Amino acid sequence: MTKTVNNAAAGTFTATGGDVTIIVGDRIDEGTAGIVFKVNCGADVACKDLGPVILKFYKDNDQVGPEQQHLAKIDELKAVSTGPGDQLTLTKGFSGTNLSKTQAYLKLTEQVTDKTQLKIPAITKLVKDTAALVEQKGLEYLTQHEILHLDINDANVLVTESEEGKITAAELIDWDKAVIVPAAEIDGAKGEVTKQLVNFNRLFETPETEKKKADADAVKKPVKPAPRPAAAGSGSAKPAAPAAAPGSAKPAAPVAAPAAPVAAPVAPAAAPPTPPAAARPAAVPRPAAQAASVPPPSAGRPAVPGAAPANRRP
């Protein structure tokens, strides 16, 4: 890697400071932008002259240029890789950890199994005190270096914790999303630092938010079922009337419908007697009457088929 010469006023740099040899150590953390590693200088004097440093490997090379420029703007860029392949950045290293990993925060949250027993006031105070340090640091970068950090959250804030469990300092890291602010616009941008703290506080508002929701649900749940039985009791008569009105007509129709089919089979049953009635004209046709006046011996005429059954009656 090659040392950089930073131009903080312009937010630019040149890789002309000489070569640096480093030994990559353990991984510190991983974020959406890249992975951060510890650095061991070994016997390399040029590396040791840089002071505490960390190495960042980028997942997306499009983020390399903006972050290196922003680091040069705050004079925390130390060295860069200049050859082909993966882009690496050697930047100023800070001691500390995220607030969510401090002993002060863990003692107030992880040791409590029942969330209703969380020490909400203590957690709120811890977060507010830390947020004040973060805001102070953000304003410092803005006024002194004309740069605004636009991604303040727990992962991008390193805090220092005292033995007594008090947060004493805060540092901002990961500057790939930052913007450089012209000197004339600094006063107007100060409010943006406060707005950025919303993302920082969001993670730590969870315990209090859950408790508030639990309390709200405890109040709402008894109220919600109460109207339902009341509505069912008071409206039972009302719904019954409308139900009977439409229902009374509908059941009547089905009953009448079956009655028609029942009458239909009866009609065919009455129909058989009708054919005999219809047969009467066949039994007493006028031609048959004329044939009856003819004596039986001379009735050898085959032209009167209906006469034979008629003559067989007597």
Side-chain angles (χ1 to χ4, degrees):
M1 299 186 73
T2 306
K3 280 184 176 183
T4 61
V5 178
N6 301 326
N7 184 343
T12 59
F13 68 92
T14 57
T16 57
D19 293 337
V20 177
T21 302
I22 63 171
I23 301 172
V24 180
D26 297 334
R27 186 174 71 172
I28 300 174
D29 203 353
E30 180 176 354
T32 57
I35 308 173
V36 180
F37 296 89
K38 292 181 179 179
V39 172
N40 185 356
C41 290
D44 189 78
V45 176
C47 177
K48 291 180 179 180
D49 290 341
L50 297 176
V53 290
I54 57 173
L55 179 69
K56 186 170 184 178
F57 164 79
Y58 294 88
K59 296 179 181 179
D60 184 359
N61 284 343
D62 290 340
Q63 296 177 323
V64 179
E67 181 163 48
Q68 288 180 346
Q69 291 177 355
H70 298 152
L71 289 170
K73 182 70 175 173
I74 59 179
D75 202 23
E76 293 181 5
L77 183 65
K78 300 299 180 180
V80 296
S81 59
T82 55
D86 296 329
Q87 298 296 307
L88 305 174
T89 297
L90 204 62
T91 181
K92 181 179 179 180
F94 295 100
S95 60
T97 187
N98 307 123
L99 178 60
S100 61
K101 299 176 183 178
T102 61
Q103 292 301 313
Y105 182 77
L106 295 178
K107 285 180 180 179
L108 294 173
T109 56
E110 290 190 350
Q111 293 181 2
V112 179
T113 56
D114 184 0
K115 289 185 177 181
T116 60
Q117 301 299 320
L118 283 170
K119 299 178 180 179
I120 303 301
I123 296 176
T124 302
K125 185 178 185 307
L126 176 66
V127 174
K128 285 185 177 180
D129 291 346
T130 305
L133 294 173
V134 175
E135 183 176 18
Q136 179 181 350
K137 181 58 66 172
L139 290 173
E140 180 182 317
Y141 278 114
L142 177 62
T143 56
Q144 296 182 12
H145 301 284
E146 300 176 353
I147 191 169
L148 178 64
H149 198 296
L150 291 179
D151 194 19
I152 298 178
N153 56 61
D154 181 55
N156 292 339
V157 174
L158 297 180
V159 299
T160 303
E161 182 181 16
S162 67
E163 294 181 359
E164 294 78 17
K166 184 178 180 180
I167 307 303
T168 59
E171 291 289 345
L172 295 176
I173 60 174
D174 285 353
W175 292 87
D176 55 300
K177 296 180 181 180
V179 293
I180 296 176
V181 180
E185 301 177 11
I186 288 178
D187 288 340
K190 290 180 179 178
E192 293 298 323
V193 176
T194 304
K195 290 181 181 179
Q196 287 299 308
L197 293 176
V198 173
N199 295 329
F200 177 77
N201 291 328
R202 185 169 295 154
L203 174 65
F204 306 103
E205 289 175 353
T206 303
E208 186 172 5
T209 303
E210 288 184 358
K211 185 176 185 302
K212 287 180 179 178
K213 286 183 179 179
D215 293 342
D217 291 342
V219 174
K220 291 179 181 178
K221 284 180 181 177
V223 176
K224 285 183 180 178
R228 290 177 185 171
S234 60
S236 58
K238 292 180 181 178
S248 60
K250 290 180 181 176
V255 170
V262 170
V266 173
T274 306
R280 291 173 192 169
V284 192
R286 289 187 179 241
Q290 295 174 0
S293 62
V294 182
S298 60
R301 302 174 185 178
V304 188
N311 294 334
R312 289 174 190 168
R313 290 179 185 176

